[in-house]
Amino acid sequence: MKKKIIALNTTIMLGLGAFALPAVNAESVDDIKKERSDVQSNLSKAEKELATVLAELSKLEDQINKVDKAMADNDKFIVDTEKEIEDTKKKIKKLEEEIKVIQERIDQRSEVLKERAVAFQESGGTNVGYIEVLLGSTSFGDFIDRVGAVSKIVEADQDLLLQHDADKKEVKDKKSTVDKELAGLNEKKTELEGMRAQMEDQKKQNDVLKKELKTKETAAADKKSKLQTKDSELAAMQADIERSMAAQNTAVASVASTPNSGSSAASTSVKSSGEKSAPAKSAPSTTVGSGISAVISAGNKYIGNSVYVFGGGRSAADIAAGRFDCSGFVHWAFAQGGYSVGSSTEALKNQGTPVSASQMQPGDMVFFDTYKKDGHVGIYIGGGKFIGSQSSTGVAIANMSSGYWKDAFNGRVNRIN
């Protein structure tokens, strides 16, 4: 083919003198077409990679939105808790003022009783104790006199003594109430500190996700830009080749004054693969069977697709959105297996049968000391691992055989039968 085109060009040059057509090297055209085919194949692969990155970016965006919403909810919870703490402090202060008034009444009444006892002694009596009266009497008549004197004092001050005892009981009851309020307040403070620590973990996780998202966005944009440039260059090369071949064929046909019997310029049609969206995944079924195996596997669908929210997992909306705290997740997971358990660590730690850590088996509840004793709970799945809703990851499988969770594990294991 190359020889024929060169010979034809020579003929044209002889016939037209100085006018000449550029020779088109057919082998070069074939090489370019082959190269274009290879590039198009690579372009298709690159676009698929880009589509995968875009799908991942979309997933990360969704996860970041969940984390941001969870942090906003936790912030509100902290504000509400701090307000409750302030209200409790005011209540405690009021109780302390009431106790102070009652104690003053008791002190005043004690002084009155003390003065009367002293007056009795000064009038010739002895100590008002009955034992002393009995031992100190010199005769039966003396004994009768002494008992009568004490009885008169007791009868005269009976109402005063009853009030005294009632006030003492009231002080004791109010003190008990204050102690409970203080214990509850301290628990709330501890809980609040734990929440703040958990939120810091979430913020760190959020920052990591955002940095990862930014990196992937930049990489995806750069790759797309390069692909577009490459495609444009190939398209321009293709157009130049087609124009050159068309011009040559037209010139040959004009000089020969005969119908063009040669092969016309081949127009290579390049099909560029458009971006393809990642195939949508159908939502996993919430029905996972029954029994402990269902409890263990229930949370798998939320791994990498959930977020930790303090108080989460107790409403249909939270569950649908994958928003759980540790005890809320455990409560939900056991419900998937047909078990009814509590939804707080305080309730869960008192449920089921305690077993030793050396005897734990998949499906057992395991407890950890985090911001407080038994502050975190998960479900053991075997192999030294457990599944739970962690503050920095949402629902995830964690290793309790080493690192943080090994140190935090307190040995409490409960089995639900």
Side-chain angles (χ1 to χ4, degrees):
M1 179 66 179
K2 178 180 178 182
K3 291 181 180 179
K4 289 182 180 178
I5 294 175
I6 294 174
L8 178 58
N9 283 336
T10 302
T11 303
I12 294 173
M13 290 178 68
L14 291 173
L16 300 179
F19 179 73
L21 293 174
V24 178
N25 190 319
E27 292 179 358
S28 296
V29 173
D30 290 340
D31 290 341
I32 292 174
K33 287 182 178 180
K34 184 178 182 304
E35 181 182 358
R36 183 72 188 281
S37 177
D38 292 340
V39 169
Q40 287 295 318
S41 177
N42 292 332
L43 179 59
S44 177
K45 292 178 182 179
E47 286 176 338
K48 288 180 180 179
E49 291 177 7
L50 181 58
T52 300
V53 170
L54 292 174
E56 188 177 352
L57 288 172
S58 177
K59 183 178 179 181
L60 283 173
E61 282 281 13
D62 181 62
Q63 181 69 5
I64 284 176
N65 289 336
K66 286 182 178 180
V67 171
D68 287 342
K69 178 66 168 60
M71 290 182 67
D73 290 344
N74 283 344
D75 284 340
K76 183 178 182 302
F77 187 86
I78 285 180
V79 171
D80 292 343
T81 301
E82 288 177 339
K83 183 178 183 302
E84 189 176 352
I85 287 175
E86 289 302 316
D87 292 342
T88 303
K89 285 182 177 179
K90 291 178 182 178
K91 186 176 180 181
I92 289 174
K93 185 177 181 181
K94 184 177 179 181
L95 280 174
E96 288 175 343
E97 290 173 352
E98 291 178 6
I99 289 174
K100 184 178 180 181
V101 171
I102 292 173
Q103 188 62 50
E104 288 176 354
R105 288 205 307 265
I106 290 176
D107 293 342
Q108 291 172 356
R109 197 174 293 118
S110 296
E111 288 298 321
V112 171
L113 292 173
K114 185 186 298 182
E115 289 173 0
R116 291 187 180 181
V118 170
F120 174 72
Q121 289 178 332
E122 290 177 348
S123 64
T126 59
N127 193 296
V128 295
Y130 284 101
I131 298 298
E132 287 77 3
V133 168
L134 177 63
L135 295 178
S137 59
T138 58
S139 66
F140 181 74
D142 185 28
F143 174 79
I144 294 299
D145 291 340
R146 292 183 181 220
V147 169
V150 171
S151 297
K152 288 179 181 179
I153 293 175
V154 172
E155 289 173 1
D157 292 333
Q158 189 65 42
D159 291 340
L160 194 63
L161 291 171
L162 288 174
Q163 292 176 12
H164 194 69
D165 290 340
D167 281 349
K168 282 185 175 180
K169 183 177 184 303
E170 185 177 359
V171 168
K172 182 178 180 181
D173 291 343
K174 285 185 177 290
K175 182 66 167 58
S176 176
T177 301
V178 170
D179 288 341
K180 289 180 181 179
E181 292 284 350
L182 284 173
L185 180 59
N186 290 331
E187 179 69 17
K188 283 184 179 295
K189 284 183 177 179
T190 302
E191 205 164 21
L192 181 57
E193 291 171 356
M195 285 176 58
R196 283 176 175 161
Q198 291 167 349
M199 287 186 65
E200 287 301 319
D201 287 340
Q202 286 188 321
K203 286 180 180 179
K204 291 176 182 178
Q205 180 70 10
N206 201 24
D207 289 341
V208 171
L209 288 173
K210 286 182 178 178
K211 288 179 180 179
E212 183 179 351
L213 175 61
K214 186 64 178 177
T215 300
K216 288 182 178 292
E217 280 182 330
T218 302
D222 183 60
K223 182 178 287 187
K224 185 175 181 179
S225 176
K226 289 179 179 179
L227 288 172
Q228 289 175 333
T229 301
K230 187 73 172 178
D231 191 49
S232 297
E233 290 175 352
L234 292 173
M237 290 174 61
Q238 182 77 21
D240 287 343
I241 293 172
E242 290 175 349
R243 282 195 297 270
S244 296
M245 293 182 68
Q248 180 171 288
N249 289 337
T250 300
V252 170
S254 176
V255 171
S257 297
T258 58
N260 182 18
S261 59
S263 61
S264 61
S267 176
T268 304
S269 175
V270 180
K271 295 181 180 179
S272 176
S273 300
E275 290 186 6
K276 297 180 180 178
S277 300
K281 295 182 179 179
S282 59
S285 170
T286 56
T287 302
V288 294
S290 61
I292 292 299
S293 61
V295 174
I296 297 171
S297 62
N300 289 343
K301 68 178 182 178
Y302 285 117
I303 295 176
N305 186 36
S306 60
V307 66
Y308 182 97
V309 178
F310 200 92
R314 293 160 179 80
S315 68
D318 275 353
I319 293 169
R323 293 157 52 88
F324 297 94
D325 64 8
C326 63
S327 54
F329 171 76
V330 170
H331 169 80
W332 171 82
F334 271 94
Q336 305 315 295
Y339 300 91
S340 178
V341 298
S343 58
S344 68
T345 54
E346 286 300 311
L348 291 171
K349 74 180 185 180
N350 294 314
Q351 289 189 288
T353 304
V355 297
S356 66
S358 62
Q359 298 298 316
M360 64 181 172
Q361 62 188 31
D364 290 344
M365 293 187 295
V366 287
F367 293 80
F368 305 85
D369 292 343
T370 52
Y371 64 94
K372 66 174 183 177
K373 185 171 180 58
D374 298 313
H376 190 73
V377 61
I379 301 170
Y380 186 66
I381 62 173
K385 297 180 180 180
F386 75 97
I387 186 170
S389 182
Q390 278 66 265
S391 61
S392 61
T393 61
V395 177
I397 293 174
N399 189 352
M400 58 185 290
S401 297
S402 62
Y404 174 80
W405 292 113
K406 178 182 179 181
D407 295 336
F409 178 53
N410 62 19
R412 186 192 294 277
V413 181
N414 287 2
R415 181 168 300 160
I416 303 298
N417 298 316

